[in-house]
Each structure stands twice: as structure tokens, then as C-alpha cells.
């Protein structure tokens, strides 16, 4: 089973592909969309979950999503049709760092996709190129809540702690106007949902040729979480404005 198929199964019970619950998503979007009629761009939108929530809760918002996955974008199209917001959503299949638009955006999103740009600060630089004057960026990326083991860094990436991350962002010319550090409940719920969904799929499809592989993968990832980075890895979302446009 390829990685994209496995990810789709893993996130069946947690469509926001980050350790953030529905209420936190709602509050972040409220802070990111203060007028309610903004143009929104999601760089690395996946199945468009953030955009679809913005569109359904703000009927004057227009949105664009960029992702390399044809399957994820088709999922976004179908869900937008179902929700009746397809006329306000543009989707583009290409690498996020290749996207260009003649019109700037009031809110640029990139949550859990910093790897596509090479890290948090390069993601902010990419977002800045699309940002209207006075606009906002909603970015989400990992942090360390405690000093990590070398194995945790190898698994997840080389992050900084909360204070250092914010200091780096400020030094790059951004001012936080809102933020959310995922709670232990959000972090745990995300991991249980992912590896539990994979395991349940494998147990429900014992005759499938991928069943054993998926069950083994679920067990491996669960152990990596419990033994490797639970209590060490955290997740931070920031809403930012340029300190000086």
C-alpha cells in the first residue's frame, strides 16, 4: 500500500491532518478571518479540510488550495460539491512553491506542510509572496516540549522549543497576533486516531493483501509514538502579521 493510501486510512477519523481538535480549528479560523470576506490560500492543502471549514462558516470567503496530490484534490472537489461551496473554491495541482497568482490573499495557510518548503522560516517567506498588505498567515509546525532524543529528531525533524520558535519568527519580521499550542489531549487524540484507524482497517480487511503490512505499520508507528516522542513532541499554530510591510 502506498503512503498516500495509508495516510487516507489513518486520517479517516481525524480529517485535520495535525494534532488540533475541531474547536481549536474554529477559533484559529475566526482569528484568521476577522472580516469574513477574505481571499484565502492554503499552500499544501491536502483534502482541503481547512479551506472547506472556512468556506462553510464564512459565506463571503473565497479560497484557493494548492497540492501535488491529485487524489487529495479530487477528495476536496467532491466534498466542496457536497457542501455547496465549490463555486468559491479553486484547486491547483502543483508543488506549493511553484504556485503564483495575480491577486494577493488576505489569509495564507500552511499547517503541517513546512517540509514542502524546507522548514518553518522558508514557509513563511513563501507565504509572504502571496500576502496582501495587512494580511495574515496561519502556520502550524512541530515544536519540542522537552529536549528530544536523537531518534525523535530523526523520526520527526529538527524543531525548536516554543519560546525559540516564536523568537525565530519575530526575528524574521513577523508579529504573532494569536496562537495555539496543542494540548496533551489533542496530541494524544491525534495519535490514537491515526494508528487506531490503520489497525482497525487491517482487522476489518483480513483477506486484503495489504492487511498484514498495514497492521504492522500501525503497531510500529504506535510504538514510535509511545516510546519515542510522546511528551516530547508538540505542535504550534501561529497567526502572524508582517511587522513592517
Amino acid at each position: 500500500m502506498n503512503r498516500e493510501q495509508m495516510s487516507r486510512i489513518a486520517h479517516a477519523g481525524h480529517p485535520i491532518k495535525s494534532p488540533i481538535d475541531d474547536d481549536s480549528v474554529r477559533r484559529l479560523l475566526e482569528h484568521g478571518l476577522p472580516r469574513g470576506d477574505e481571499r484565502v490560500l492554503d499552500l499544501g492543502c491536502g483534502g482541503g479540510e481547512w479551506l472547506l471549514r472556512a468556506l462553510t462558516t464564512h459565506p463571503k470567503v473565497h479560497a484557493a488550495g494548492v497540492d501535488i496530490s491529485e487524489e487529495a484534490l479530487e477528495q476536496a472537489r467532491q466534498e466542496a460539491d457536497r457542501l455547496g461551496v465549490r463555486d468559491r473554491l479553486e484547486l491547483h495541482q502543483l508543488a506549493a512553491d511553484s504556485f503564483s497568482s495575480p491577486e494577493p490573499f488576505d489569509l495564507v495557510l500552511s499547517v503541517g506542510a513546512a517540509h514542502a518548503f524546507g522548514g518553518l522560516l522558508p514557509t513563511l517567506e513563501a507565504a509572504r509572496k502571496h500576502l496582501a498588505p495587512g494580511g495574515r498567515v496561519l502556520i502550524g509546525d512541530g515544536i519540542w516540549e522537552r529536549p528530544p532524543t536523537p531518534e525523535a529528531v530523526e523520526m520527526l525533524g529538527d524543531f525548536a522549543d516554543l519560546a525559540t520558535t516564536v523568537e525565530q519568527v519575530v526575528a524574521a519580521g513577523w508579529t504573532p497576533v494569536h496562537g495555539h499550542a496543542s494540548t496533551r489531549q489533542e496530541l494524544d487524540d491525534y495519535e490514537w486516531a491515526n494508528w487506531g484507524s490503520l489497525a482497525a482497517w487491517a482487522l476489518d480487511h483480513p483477506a486484503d493483501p495489504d492487511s498484514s503490512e498495514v497492521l504492522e505499520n500501525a503497531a510500529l508507528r504506535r510504538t514510535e509514538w509511545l516510546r519515542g516522542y510522546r511528551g516530547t513532541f508538540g505542535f504550534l499554530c501561529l497567526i502572524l502579521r508582517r511587522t513592517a510591510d
Side-chain angles (χ1 to χ4, degrees):
M1 181 177 290
N2 66 45
R3 183 175 180 178
E4 188 167 351
Q5 290 174 302
M6 203 168 293
S7 177
R8 186 180 68 252
I9 294 169
H11 289 95
H14 200 293
I16 294 292
K17 296 179 176 62
S18 297
I20 313 171
D21 65 21
D22 290 340
D23 196 45
S24 298
V25 171
R26 178 187 57 78
R27 289 196 305 270
L28 285 163
L29 287 173
E30 285 178 354
H31 284 275
L33 301 167
R35 297 196 318 265
D37 63 353
E38 288 86 352
R39 280 171 45 82
V40 183
L41 171 66
D42 190 341
L43 296 170
C45 68
E49 293 84 6
W50 285 86
L51 296 180
L52 293 169
R53 295 187 188 208
L55 291 166
T56 53
T57 55
H58 297 79
K60 295 182 180 180
V61 160
H62 288 74
V66 182
D67 204 272
I68 59 173
S69 170
E70 180 180 0
E71 183 176 344
L73 293 177
E74 180 57 30
Q75 176 185 333
R77 289 187 192 96
Q78 293 179 10
E79 188 65 7
D81 285 334
R82 187 185 71 81
L83 294 170
V85 298
R86 184 69 180 89
D87 60 326
R88 293 185 284 127
L89 176 64
E90 300 175 11
L91 296 170
H92 305 268
Q93 186 185 357
L94 71 166
D97 58 0
S98 300
F99 175 74
S100 63
S101 171
E103 297 289 333
F105 293 86
D106 304 296
L107 175 66
V108 180
L109 285 153
S110 188
V111 179
H115 58 276
F117 299 93
L120 179 64
L121 296 184
T123 304
L124 287 174
E125 180 58 25
R128 185 185 64 81
K129 298 174 184 177
H130 302 289
L131 198 62
R136 301 179 180 211
V137 171
L138 197 173
I139 193 163
D141 201 16
I143 57 172
W144 294 126
E145 295 185 341
R146 294 189 326 212
T149 64
E151 292 77 14
V153 174
E154 184 177 355
M155 277 188 279
L156 300 177
D158 191 10
F159 305 116
D161 62 27
L162 172 59
T164 302
T165 299
V166 173
E167 289 166 358
Q168 290 172 344
V169 167
V170 170
W174 299 89
T175 295
V177 296
H178 185 66
H180 173 74
S182 294
T183 65
R184 170 56 46 208
Q185 187 71 53
E186 287 175 303
L187 291 159
D188 281 356
D189 285 350
Y190 180 68
E191 300 286 349
W192 284 122
N194 280 0
W195 317 133
S197 292
L198 275 180
W201 182 92
L203 295 173
D204 289 341
H205 298 82
D208 191 287
D210 291 321
S211 179
S212 295
E213 176 195 359
V214 171
L215 190 60
E216 290 172 7
N217 188 271
L220 172 63
R221 300 304 184 192
R222 184 178 61 244
T223 299
E224 287 177 342
W225 162 51
L226 293 172
R227 293 289 187 182
Y229 59 87
R230 185 177 185 270
T232 300
F233 176 77
F235 197 81
L236 174 67
C237 287
L238 292 171
I239 296 180
L240 306 168
R241 292 179 61 181
R242 289 294 295 169
T243 305
D245 282 320

